[in-house]
Amino acid sequence: MKIEVIQGDIIKVEVDVIVNATNSSLLGGGGVDGAIHRVGGSKILEDCQKIRNRQGKCKTGEAVITTAGNLPAKKVIHTVGPVYNGGQRLEKEKELLANCYKNSLELAKENNFKSIAFPNISTGIYKFPRELAAQIAIKTVKENTVLEKVIFVCFDDENYKIYKNYLEKE
Ligand code: AR6
């Protein structure tokens, strides 16, 4: 499995499936979630609403899949990262963040996809410490090598430097 890191906007990445860092309502928000719905169009929200009607909210750490609407990817996997609470429930939050990566990879595999792009889940509005989130993301992806290519798409400079540093070290 090949792991890459790029700096940019995940909505432009041409892979089989991109991952969205959403919230448990599945009905959109800000950050990467806002960008995906804005550019992907209303078909994504329609699919999310169908999932809501079927299963209710999406729990933290879990993942669901929808159309990618107008985006270049074939599908979007929506996963709900943990909100960082200043470290009070850190072990649980670390586990939940790892579950986001694990469950997204599993869903991609079930759909026979070969390539996936991840944003830096929970490190924006949900305030998870970037270094720790990167360690968890890289470790979890390496332990679950089920696809041919995984791209970490970093939006901000800080995350990009952190990922570059960890991936070049190895
Ligand atoms: N492409 C790639 N990464 C992006 C993009 C983009 N277009 N836009 C932001 N990022 P966030 P969270 C990065 O806040 O912390 C939403 O309202 C950003 O720099 O999008 O998991 C949801 O609905 C950061 O590194 O997601 C939830 O309510 C990373 O994506 C809540 O935010 C994640 O930042 C989820 O919070």
Side-chain angles (χ1 to χ4, degrees):
M1 186 186 64
K2 211 170 141 205
I3 301 180
E4 285 176 19
V5 55
I6 59 169
Q7 186 167 18
D9 193 328
I10 202 163
I11 58 170
K12 296 185 183 148
V13 180
E14 292 183 26
V15 279
D16 289 338
V17 61
I18 63 166
V19 176
N20 180 19
T22 188
N23 58 67
S24 59
S25 82
L26 293 174
L27 301 180
V32 68
D33 196 11
I36 286 173
H37 280 282
R38 199 161 48 242
V39 183
S42 58
K43 291 269 185 303
I44 299 180
L45 187 59
E46 281 169 27
D47 271 10
C48 285
Q49 269 156 344
K50 281 183 205 152
I51 294 168
R52 278 283 312 244
N53 294 340
R54 208 166 56 227
Q55 69 165 51
K57 291 186 175 182
C58 184
K59 290 194 187 120
T60 306
E62 293 187 357
V64 298
I65 189 162
T66 70
T67 177
N70 305 325
L71 301 175
K74 293 177 191 149
K75 296 272 182 181
V76 176
I77 289 174
H78 306 259
T79 188
V80 182
V83 179
Y84 182 69
N85 268 322
Q88 288 153 19
R89 296 172 62 239
L90 192 55
E91 286 314 307
K92 187 70 193 162
E93 289 161 4
K94 282 162 67 178
E95 186 188 326
L96 291 170
L97 185 59
N99 287 347
C100 289
Y101 287 92
K102 220 181 289 175
N103 289 326
S104 298
L105 288 166
E106 190 56 39
L107 207 45
K109 185 184 160 203
E110 279 169 21
N111 284 271
N112 295 316
F113 291 142
K114 294 190 165 56
S115 55
I116 189 167
F118 283 103
N120 309 131
I121 302 165
S122 283
T123 66
I125 293 162
Y126 283 176
K127 293 193 164 38
F128 209 96
R130 287 181 167 83
E131 286 270 356
L132 186 55
Q135 286 169 9
I136 292 167
I138 293 168
K139 180 168 181 277
T140 309
V141 162
K142 286 190 171 168
E143 285 171 356
N144 294 273
T145 54
V146 288
L147 308 185
E148 284 177 12
K149 187 155 98 172
V150 175
I151 306 178
F152 289 112
V153 185
C154 302
F155 199 60
D156 54 276
D157 288 350
E158 197 185 331
N159 264 320
Y160 182 63
K161 282 182 194 142
I162 291 169
Y163 274 80
K164 268 246 162 245
N165 184 37
Y166 279 122
L167 291 168
E168 276 169 6
K169 252 197 239 161
E170 288 152 10

